[in-house]
Amino acid sequence: MTTATEARSGKGHRDENFPVASHLIHPRHRGPILDFYHFVRAGDDVADNAGLSPERKIALLDGLADALTGRGPDDPEAAPLRRSLAERGLPPRHALELLDAFRMDAHKTRYDTWDELAHYCRYSAVPVGRFVLDVHGEDPGRTWPTSDAICTALQVINHLQDCGKDFRSIDRVYLPRETLEKHGARIEDLGAERATPALRAVIGELAQRCLDLLDEGRPLPDLIDDTRLSLEIAAIHRLAVVLARGLLVRDPLSEKVHHGKAAFALTALGAAATTLARRPFRRHLHPALRGARP
């Protein structure tokens, strides 16, 4: 395997657990966000490819980075994002940080503590939110902290939903060892058809941490100047809350945590409508916005 393209899984943005550049996003911003997604998806597929050695994964990820920055040969997975970044005058920082996360995945399969997992999320999830905000020209000082909290929660929710599959297919465990030991759970429990009570307790504790992070990120839609992006993030936030609450009571090894598409659509639309109704009053809700664009 000589290119990242050969490692592609076939998964696309419509297969993700949360919306990616939905039609709530203005068309002028959807292109760069999708270019970013496809680049990141290529790197993620390399990291998750069970047929590649860690060394080969690193080499392919380095090739993607060099193609994006112009230090190496062009790559069809990097070229669209490179053009979008040049057109917007944006640096490749966020995409390169995600490649750092995939390099971690190439070598690291276990996490000892919550802080260690949060550090991984700083590179595997946080740059996504920051890139979307940068594309929209949002104020980093005002929006990044709450975005970081939401993105970290989204990443851990995905880990919890996929914990059994990740263990069985690629021997990767994102549940911190300290939390497993606290509740008397074993890594091997992830290979069972149903979660043990101990593993359910682990999942519940981590889901509650996600809810705490989502509560920290709750103000973000009101802090964003672009109305359409505000509605998108409100929808994602509400969906994440629903999933995290679901993980408190459902077993991801044996049950679907996701609701059906219709229920998810109604949840997202309800969040967007609530946020839209609140837009005229956001400066009263958040005094820091009094100098922001209408």
Side-chain angles (χ1 to χ4, degrees):
M1 194 172 293
T2 58
T3 67
T5 301
E6 295 174 68
R8 291 300 298 268
S9 65
K11 186 176 182 179
H13 69 281
R14 293 186 177 85
D15 302 312
E16 299 293 341
N17 289 328
F18 298 99
V20 177
S22 80
H23 289 286
L24 282 172
I25 298 292
H26 194 284
R28 72 174 177 272
H29 299 311
R30 292 188 78 238
I33 293 171
L34 288 173
D35 290 339
F36 184 86
Y37 170 82
H38 292 308
F39 176 84
V40 171
R41 179 78 260 161
D44 200 8
D45 286 346
V46 167
D48 288 349
N49 191 301
L52 296 173
S53 69
E55 294 73 23
R56 189 62 196 141
K57 291 178 181 180
I58 297 295
L60 291 173
L61 293 169
D62 288 348
L64 280 174
D66 289 344
L68 184 63
T69 59
R71 293 195 300 262
D74 287 340
D75 187 295
E77 306 295 347
L81 178 59
R82 187 178 175 187
R83 286 193 298 269
S84 286
L85 293 176
E87 290 168 1
R88 298 285 179 122
L90 294 173
R93 169 186 172 184
H94 302 310
L96 295 177
E97 286 184 339
L98 280 152
L99 293 184
D100 285 339
F102 302 145
R103 291 186 184 95
M104 291 184 216
D105 282 333
H107 287 287
K108 189 174 180 63
T109 60
R110 303 290 188 270
Y111 290 82
D112 286 333
T113 66
W114 170 263
D115 287 344
E116 200 175 317
L117 180 60
H119 173 76
Y120 169 75
C121 294
R122 164 61 186 85
Y123 292 90
S124 68
V126 162
V128 177
R130 292 182 176 186
F131 176 79
V132 171
L133 291 166
D134 284 359
V135 164
H136 284 80
E138 298 292 334
D139 180 351
R142 195 170 69 226
T143 60
W144 278 16
T146 44
S147 173
D148 294 355
I150 291 174
C151 288
T152 299
L154 296 178
Q155 179 72 91
V156 176
I157 288 168
N158 281 337
H159 290 332
L160 295 176
Q161 289 188 108
D162 296 336
C163 61
K165 182 181 71 174
D166 286 342
F167 175 68
R168 290 189 297 268
S169 62
I170 52 178
D171 189 33
R172 196 178 294 153
V173 179
Y174 292 105
L175 310 187
R177 176 191 53 78
E178 64 177 7
T179 314
L180 289 164
E181 291 181 354
K182 173 183 174 181
H183 294 284
R186 304 174 308 143
I187 284 177
E188 293 75 19
D189 295 342
L190 292 165
E193 292 185 2
R194 294 180 179 276
T196 63
L199 184 57
R200 288 289 297 273
V202 171
I203 293 167
E205 178 175 326
L206 296 174
Q208 184 57 56
R209 278 187 177 260
C210 291
L211 286 169
D212 293 342
L213 285 167
L214 291 168
D215 190 57
E216 183 181 334
R218 188 181 304 277
L220 180 59
D222 291 333
L223 300 176
I224 289 172
D225 290 329
D226 186 284
T227 297
R228 294 175 70 143
L229 177 61
S230 173
L231 303 185
E232 171 98 337
I233 291 177
I236 291 171
H237 182 274
R238 182 74 63 83
L239 292 172
V241 169
V242 169
L243 286 175
R245 288 175 177 166
L247 285 161
L248 294 175
V249 296
R250 294 189 185 90
D251 170 13
L253 298 190
S254 62
E255 299 176 85
K256 285 185 65 175
V257 179
H258 262 87
H259 292 292
K261 288 185 177 180
F264 254 53
L266 287 172
T267 299
L269 286 171
T274 300
T275 299
L276 183 61
R278 201 168 54 234
R279 292 292 286 179
F281 311 103
R282 69 192 188 108
R283 283 171 179 73
H284 299 288
L285 296 169
H286 302 282
L289 288 170
R290 283 171 187 158
R293 297 194 303 267

